[in-house]
Amino acid sequence: MAGTNFDLLEGMISTHINTKYPDIPPKEAVFDEEVETLRRSLAPLYSVTDEEFAEIKRKLKANIVVRMDLGVLIKNRQQHMPWLSARRESLDFFFWNRYKTYLEQVKHWNPRVTGNLSRVSDEIVDYLGDPASDSAFQRRGLVLGDVQSGKTANYTAICNKAADTGYRVIIILAGMQENLRQQTQERLDAEFSGRMSQYLLDPRQEIENVPVGVGKYGKDKQIAAFTSVTKDFDKNILQALKLSLHNVNTTALFVIKKNKSILNNLIKWLESNNFDARNAIDLPMLLIDDEADNASVNTKKEDEDPTAINDAIRRLLKLFRQASYLGITATPYANIFINPDTVTDMQGDDLFPKDFIYSLAPPTNYIGAASIFSEEARFSGVLEVLYPQEMDLFFPSNHRKELIVDELPPSMRESIAYFMLINGIRDIRGDNREHRSMMIHVSRFTDVQNQISGLVHSWVENVRSDLQNYSRLSEQESSAISNIAYLKTVWEKHNLNSKAGSEASPMSWYRFISEYLFAAVTRIDVRSVNQKSSSIGLDYYNHKDDGLRVIAVGGNSLSRGLTLEGLCVSYFYRRSQMYDTLLQMGRWFGYRPGYDDLFKIWISVEAIDWYGYITDAAEELKLEITRMRDAGQTPMEFGLKVRQDPASLIVTARNKMRSATPVKRPITVSGRLLETPRLRADTASLQQNEDSFRDFVNRLPKIGKKVTRGKITHLWEGISKDAVEQLIRDFKTHPWHLSFQGAALADFIRDCTDMTDWDVVFAEGSGETIDLQCGSSTLKVATESRIVKAIKEQISISGTKVRVGAGGVAKLGLTDDQIKEAEDKFIRINGKKHIPDSAYLKIERNPVLILHIIAVDRTKTDDKGNLRTQIDKDCTVPDYLYALGIGIPEIGDEKIAYYMVNMVELKNYFDSEEDEDE
């Protein structure tokens, strides 16, 4: 009964506060007074303990201040008649209203968030086809959102409103893995259909189908489920139940895998059982393609047949006289924008979002890539670094499925111990019924994953046994038990005593272990999550009352779309450099209510650098969407813009990895800061870079005029483009760093007619000075200290997230007035205070060449004493590295360079076999 009282009291308080304060949340003191009054008045009926009431207050207080802004829409210029507002009065929005009620009363969303969710979903539905019209239509759109930010809630809102407005068929393509499809079906059972699908499609019909989720808030209308949690599309079951689209007088829902056999079976069934006399289906259909960048896009040439899944989706859409396709993705550099062969492929591919693209704004409590990996990250302290010296002993980067795993890395044991400990802390905080998950993702091979899972299970069992037998002994006696002593070491290392108690009153280790830890750990389960595992998977729904506590060991099954509820600890070590793959592997993005001070990510130093780089690229893209909206530009123009981004070359490379044919691509270089953080590690290339660099500096007095602007003294203006071209052409970078291609940039500078005069400036740091000959005088330049990595003949300057210079380096050489102009312009357009380097290239200014001398930091260590600079024994790295940055202003015509992607050079640097070994 206590659990019921907890839920009922929480719901009543939430409803009262949200009703009384629909527009502006109450101040904290007012909130406290209101809920205390409610508790007293409801105590005779709904009594809870002080600990439970404290948890209710904490959860509601966190939700009530959350905000969510509207997104950004870019659309086709062709006339599209808005239709939703004209039909609004005739619609009752039954499905949407019960979903809104569910979100507010069960998930305790505040009305400001549900109100904006309603406005966002209205805007998206309004750009789908009107299902009540007589006209045939084929609409194509795309929704962009952050990883784990709530895209499913958005498209669930769209489903509910689509059903309200007259869409009779809704098909959800829920990724490529069955566990993800099941999770999506389960979510839609609760938040759209309101009934448990496995009972609806039970041919025996032996179990009464009681309402769940939204079903408890209205049963006047129904959704017909044609798939279930236990069954993907199966025509035999539908035939046994005599189900077709025309004999259910309501919206039909299909949740299917993105699998060519499933799709082809669905197409055959639709053709056989649902065609009218015109060999078409005259029912409006909405197809929502979750993870639209994965497998849906045609990556073949124009004269070749489309890929199987792309072809099946297009044939499925053509079956319906009225069809709207809505792609959902979190990875903006996905293939849906980039077919690298011809420009017209994007327009010709029926899945390209030619009608509209909507970029979602995440709620304010979302913890995304920028919160963890950007230069101003709020949560950078959650990162625990994994180093190749340790990891390669256990999981070499090129390991195969035959790898024998007989021991866990020490860092993995530490992460598991940390997960056990914070389970106890969350129990103390009153989160007893909340899900808690840990992710271990170090191999794509299921055989390797299953071995790891077995070792983790054995160790957890040993620790659990020791806690059961010895945790109540005296502190001195229990500390003699090795597993308990190890847990204490991890407890002290991460200063968990203050998090279990408070800064003012920290909890002692002895009290924690004797009163809380065994009960917290005893419920932890270890499961493999892959297509070969025989476990029951991540059955969060079956633990909705007590909370599932699970250590999930997997690979690609953990990489796309699957939500790990209550993810507290991530242990991630994969060498992929693909932007979309890395972002999707970041299951730790999302919401951490009540434990954002506890979650941790064990991750390689290389991945940290790449995530930082990807984060900057993704933020730039969002700014570009806003700019293009304001300029009235279209999805086609946006697709071309993304295609011409240097960062998108990495996707091109993957599409062409099995071919030795070089790929030539037009790349936009104006408005971007291009740097050289990846260098060749061979002595000859480094020496050539130094010689070219020093020779250029020595000639500066002859080819330019030295000036002083503000505090910048090492600055020259009027440098001819010929000198800059030659330096860039001679400078050697690593082929893996695709965004700075010296030959292509040099050709561009040579051929460009409106960039004759350049500024040249040194980016100085606080390190020791180095002497450079500059004409007849000696120039003293303060070096910039950076940690580096040297591996596989590649040197990575990675102290600032795959950057050479610190943030804001593009402002060097500008006057104070120019800096203010650039920053004011950026804030005026974007409303954000964090100014990226690109902002300083969007005003009238000269192109700039930035010179860097990097002092290799060989002394900085992490908290484990590991050196941050990592140099393979086969690499020799000098004490000083020479690097460049160029900034070309985005004024006048767009500046295009033609880059070349050489597959022969690149393929050795890719984790090319991304598919899981199934």
Side-chain angles (χ1 to χ4, degrees):
M1 185 64 185
T4 302
N5 284 354
F6 181 100
D7 293 333
L8 290 172
L9 183 60
E10 182 183 14
M12 288 181 175
I13 293 174
S14 175
T15 300
H16 171 83
I17 295 293
N18 286 334
T19 302
K20 190 170 181 178
Y21 302 95
D23 301 318
I24 301 174
K27 301 291 186 184
E28 186 169 353
V30 174
F31 174 85
D32 289 340
E33 183 179 349
E34 292 267 8
V35 298
E36 291 287 353
T37 301
L38 281 168
R39 182 193 185 186
R40 287 193 297 271
S41 65
L42 295 170
L45 296 174
Y46 308 111
S47 176
V48 294
T49 66
D50 289 344
E51 290 78 10
E52 288 174 324
F53 184 65
E55 172 60 9
I56 289 173
K57 282 180 62 177
R58 183 193 62 74
K59 289 171 66 177
L60 295 182
K61 193 176 291 185
N63 282 333
I64 208 160
V65 297
V66 175
R67 303 184 316 278
M68 184 179 77
D69 294 331
L70 299 178
V72 178
L73 173 76
I74 56 176
K75 57 185 184 293
N76 198 319
R77 293 194 190 99
Q78 293 179 355
Q79 184 66 31
H80 171 70
M81 295 297 295
W83 54 269
L84 187 56
S85 57
R87 291 184 53 205
R88 189 174 297 279
E89 287 188 9
S90 65
L91 300 169
D92 65 1
F93 287 101
F94 169 84
F95 294 112
W96 161 252
N97 285 329
R98 71 176 188 174
Y99 181 48
K100 179 176 181 290
T101 302
Y102 170 84
L103 291 175
E104 292 179 353
Q105 295 193 6
V106 176
K107 292 198 167 183
H108 307 303
W109 289 26
N110 71 58
R112 291 165 297 286
V113 175
T114 56
N116 272 0
L117 177 64
S118 180
R119 293 170 65 188
V120 168
S121 53
D122 274 356
E123 194 164 15
I124 294 171
V125 169
D126 208 12
Y127 272 87
L128 304 176
D130 179 2
S133 72
D134 294 327
S135 302
F137 58 77
Q138 291 282 328
R139 299 284 292 172
R140 302 291 182 261
L142 181 79
V143 172
L144 293 176
D146 295 278
V147 174
Q148 298 283 92
S149 65
K151 297 186 300 299
T152 306
N154 275 277
Y155 77 66
T156 302
I158 291 165
C159 286
N160 279 283
K161 288 190 175 178
D164 283 324
T165 56
Y167 274 90
R168 288 288 306 278
V169 181
I170 297 178
I171 299 172
I172 311 292
L173 302 183
M176 302 184 70
Q177 309 284 354
E178 176 61 15
N179 50 17
L180 175 55
R181 191 205 69 81
Q182 290 175 339
Q183 188 179 72
T184 304
Q185 179 84 60
E186 186 176 87
R187 175 93 174 255
L188 290 169
D189 284 357
E191 300 185 11
F192 180 36
S193 69
R195 296 184 293 170
M196 297 185 73
S197 54
Q198 64 263 48
Y199 300 148
L200 283 173
L201 292 184
D202 181 1
R204 296 168 297 179
Q205 300 285 294
E206 293 177 349
I207 303 175
E208 181 184 359
N209 191 15
V210 295
V212 297
V214 295
K216 298 177 181 179
Y217 299 96
K219 294 183 285 185
D220 296 345
K221 299 180 182 180
Q222 301 288 352
I223 299 295
F226 278 58
T227 56
S228 76
V229 169
T230 55
K231 270 289 186 181
D232 203 333
F233 175 78
D234 188 331
K235 64 180 181 181
N236 295 323
I237 290 178
L238 300 185
Q239 288 170 352
L241 294 172
K242 295 182 171 57
L243 280 176
S244 76
L245 298 181
H246 293 287
N247 64 17
V248 291
N249 190 29
T250 184
T251 298
L253 172 66
F254 299 79
V255 181
I256 66 175
K257 283 193 299 294
K258 212 178 295 186
N259 174 284
K260 64 180 181 180
S261 297
I262 297 289
L263 282 163
N264 285 325
N265 286 337
L266 174 60
I267 290 168
K268 290 176 184 177
W269 177 81
L270 287 168
E271 291 173 336
S272 301
N273 295 274
N274 302 280
F275 265 12
D276 60 18
R278 294 176 295 181
N279 286 332
I281 301 174
D282 195 16
L283 295 172
M285 187 269 278
L286 169 62
L287 190 152
I288 293 178
D289 185 0
D290 198 5
E291 311 295 343
D293 58 296
N294 188 26
S296 298
V297 181
N298 182 29
T299 57
K300 292 191 176 180
K301 293 182 179 179
E302 196 172 359
D303 58 351
E304 295 178 346
D305 292 335
T307 52
I309 291 176
N310 173 269
D311 175 63
I313 295 172
R314 290 159 69 175
R315 286 189 288 115
L316 178 58
L317 289 163
K318 289 180 181 178
L319 296 179
F320 291 83
R321 181 172 169 270
Q322 295 177 318
S324 292
Y325 170 89
L326 186 65
I328 312 288
T329 182
T331 45
Y333 289 104
N335 300 351
I336 198 161
F337 297 116
I338 307 161
N339 192 313
D341 298 307
T342 65
V343 172
T344 55
D345 278 348
M346 288 195 303
Q347 199 168 26
D349 190 320
D350 282 351
L351 300 188
F352 184 81
K354 59 184 176 58
D355 295 308
F356 68 93
I357 296 173
Y358 196 98
S359 177
L360 298 169
T364 52
N365 59 337
Y366 172 67
I367 300 173
S371 302
I372 299 172
F373 296 104
S374 70
E375 292 183 21
E376 297 184 351
R378 293 182 295 131
F379 291 97
S380 59
V382 308
L383 299 174
E384 298 289 326
V385 179
L386 299 175
Y387 291 105
Q389 290 95 322
E390 174 194 16
M391 298 304 296
D392 287 350
L393 295 174
F394 296 87
F395 310 107
S397 59
N398 59 348
H399 73 264
R400 307 302 301 166
K401 64 181 179 181
E402 294 81 15
L403 178 73
I404 301 299
V405 184
D406 51 19
E407 188 178 358
L408 300 177
S411 56
M412 188 182 290
R413 285 182 178 269
E414 179 187 341
S415 67
I416 298 166
Y418 183 85
F419 179 65
M420 295 180 190
L421 294 169
I422 63 172
N423 266 275
I425 294 173
R426 291 196 66 188
D427 282 352
I428 293 168
R429 293 181 178 182
D431 292 346
N432 303 68
R433 298 183 303 153
E434 300 295 327
H435 300 304
R436 295 92 175 269
S437 302
M438 175 180 177
M439 175 182 82
I440 297 177
H441 182 172
V442 297
S443 175
R444 66 176 178 266
F445 299 114
T446 55
D447 290 345
V448 177
Q449 296 160 18
N450 292 338
Q451 291 180 74
I452 296 168
S453 180
L455 291 171
V456 173
H457 175 79
S458 296
W459 191 59
V460 170
E461 283 294 306
N462 288 338
V463 172
R464 189 157 34 216
S465 176
D466 285 348
L467 288 172
Q468 182 177 20
N469 293 327
Y470 308 117
S471 62
R472 295 184 183 274
L473 298 177
S474 70
E475 184 169 5
Q476 183 176 359
E477 290 173 315
S478 64
S479 295
I481 308 302
S482 60
N483 281 330
I484 294 178
Y486 181 71
L487 290 171
K488 184 179 181 182
T489 300
V490 177
W491 165 272
E492 291 172 345
K493 174 182 175 180
H494 295 282
N495 299 312
L496 293 179
N497 56 345
S498 62
K499 295 180 179 180
S502 65
E503 293 288 349
S505 179
M507 178 172 288
S508 71
W509 166 250
Y510 180 68
R511 183 185 173 199
F512 179 74
I513 190 177
S514 61
E515 295 182 22
Y516 298 103
L517 190 53
F518 172 68
V521 170
T522 193
R523 290 164 53 189
I524 293 176
D525 199 1
V526 181
R527 299 181 185 176
S528 295
V529 181
N530 54 49
Q531 297 304 299
K532 286 186 178 178
S533 61
S534 59
S535 75
I536 56 176
L538 301 177
D539 55 335
Y540 293 113
Y541 183 82
N542 292 328
H543 291 269
K544 63 182 184 297
D545 294 325
D546 61 343
L548 178 64
R549 303 182 184 188
V550 64
I551 299 175
V553 183
N556 288 359
S557 288
L558 298 178
S559 294
R560 271 193 175 269
L562 191 71
T563 297
L564 293 163
E565 300 284 355
L567 183 61
C568 304
V569 176
S570 301
Y571 190 94
F572 176 76
Y573 191 78
R574 287 283 296 272
R575 278 207 65 218
S576 175
Q577 287 99 355
M578 304 302 177
Y579 288 7
D580 55 349
T581 303
L582 273 178
L583 277 174
Q584 292 290 353
M585 286 177 178
R587 297 289 95 194
W588 48 79
F589 303 130
Y591 304 92
R592 305 288 172 254
Y595 63 99
D596 59 4
D597 61 329
L598 295 175
F599 83 102
K600 285 279 188 185
I601 306 165
W602 272 258
I603 185 171
S604 72
V605 64
E606 183 178 42
I608 292 172
D609 294 339
W610 275 109
Y611 273 110
Y613 188 49
I614 295 166
T615 299
D616 290 343
E619 290 300 309
E620 285 284 320
L621 184 64
K622 290 178 184 177
L623 298 177
E624 189 64 35
I625 292 174
T626 303
R627 190 193 68 77
M628 296 188 80
R629 176 201 62 187
D630 295 342
Q633 293 184 291
T634 67
M636 185 63 186
E637 290 166 314
F638 175 70
L640 291 172
K641 190 75 173 178
V642 175
R643 176 189 168 113
Q644 292 171 192
D645 190 310
S648 68
L649 284 167
I650 198 167
V651 183
T652 300
R654 181 178 56 186
N655 287 344
K656 294 294 182 180
M657 188 51 58
R658 291 177 176 85
S659 168
T661 305
V663 179
K664 189 174 184 179
R665 287 275 302 281
I667 294 297
T668 301
V669 294
S670 51
R672 304 183 184 281
L673 178 67
L674 303 172
E675 296 183 312
T676 62
R678 304 294 193 216
L679 304 173
R680 295 179 185 269
D682 63 282
T683 303
S685 295
L686 294 175
Q687 188 62 54
Q688 178 174 327
N689 286 350
E690 180 179 353
D691 292 345
S692 300
F693 189 101
R694 285 179 174 271
D695 178 66
F696 180 82
V697 173
N698 190 29
R699 293 188 295 117
L700 280 173
K702 294 181 180 179
I703 60 177
K705 176 185 176 183
K706 190 171 186 181
V707 295
T708 298
R709 294 178 194 157
K711 297 179 181 178
I712 305 300
T713 57
H714 293 339
L715 171 66
W716 292 260
E717 63 182 10
I719 305 295
S720 74
K721 70 172 187 176
D722 294 340
V724 175
E725 174 207 334
Q726 193 60 51
L727 173 62
I728 293 172
R729 193 179 297 280
D730 292 341
F731 199 88
K732 300 298 183 185
T733 60
H734 195 277
W736 174 232
H737 191 69
L738 302 182
S739 60
F740 191 106
Q741 293 195 7
L745 289 170
D747 288 346
F748 158 75
I749 293 170
R750 178 196 62 201
D751 299 335
C752 192
T753 59
D754 59 349
M755 293 197 326
T756 55
D757 293 332
W758 284 63
D759 289 343
V760 174
V761 62
F762 272 95
E764 295 190 87
S766 57
E768 58 192 314
T769 60
I770 192 169
D771 292 342
L772 297 174
Q773 193 66 35
C774 186
S776 59
S777 61
T778 299
L779 197 67
K780 293 188 176 296
V781 178
T783 59
E784 302 168 273
S785 178
R786 298 282 187 268
I787 62 171
V788 305
K789 294 193 305 295
I791 184 173
K792 206 172 184 179
E793 300 181 350
Q794 176 186 183
I795 294 174
S796 303
I797 303 169
S798 45
T800 52
K801 318 296 185 188
V802 196
R803 287 285 308 274
V804 175
V809 69
K811 75 174 78 169
L812 294 178
L814 295 180
T815 65
D816 290 343
D817 288 343
Q818 285 177 308
I819 292 172
K820 185 176 187 306
E821 176 192 354
E823 293 178 351
D824 288 348
K825 179 180 179 181
F826 177 82
I827 293 171
R828 183 174 66 253
I829 294 173
N830 300 287
K832 297 183 179 181
K833 297 297 177 67
H834 175 59
I835 314 295
D837 276 291
S838 60
Y840 301 104
L841 298 169
K842 299 183 187 297
I843 61 170
E844 195 75 46
R845 65 172 294 176
N846 291 330
V848 60
L849 169 67
I850 304 169
L851 303 176
H852 300 268
I853 304 178
I854 304 301
V856 178
D857 186 338
R858 303 178 191 267
T859 61
K860 190 175 292 183
T861 60
D862 65 6
D863 55 9
K864 299 178 184 177
N866 293 310
L867 287 173
R868 299 286 307 279
T869 285
Q870 301 287 317
I871 300 174
D872 273 8
K873 61 181 182 299
D874 298 329
C875 296
T876 301
V877 178
D879 291 334
Y880 300 104
L881 298 169
Y882 297 82
L884 307 177
I886 65 169
I888 299 169
E890 189 181 73
I891 301 298
D893 294 336
E894 188 173 50
K895 305 295 191 300
I896 301 293
Y898 286 86
Y899 279 24
M900 187 70 72
V901 184
N902 189 321
M903 295 302 110
V904 176
E905 282 192 292
L906 280 179
K907 60 185 177 182
N908 290 332
Y909 297 96
F910 279 90
D911 186 7
S912 55
E913 296 295 332
E914 280 299 331
D915 294 333
E916 196 163 17
D917 176 58
E918 298 297 356

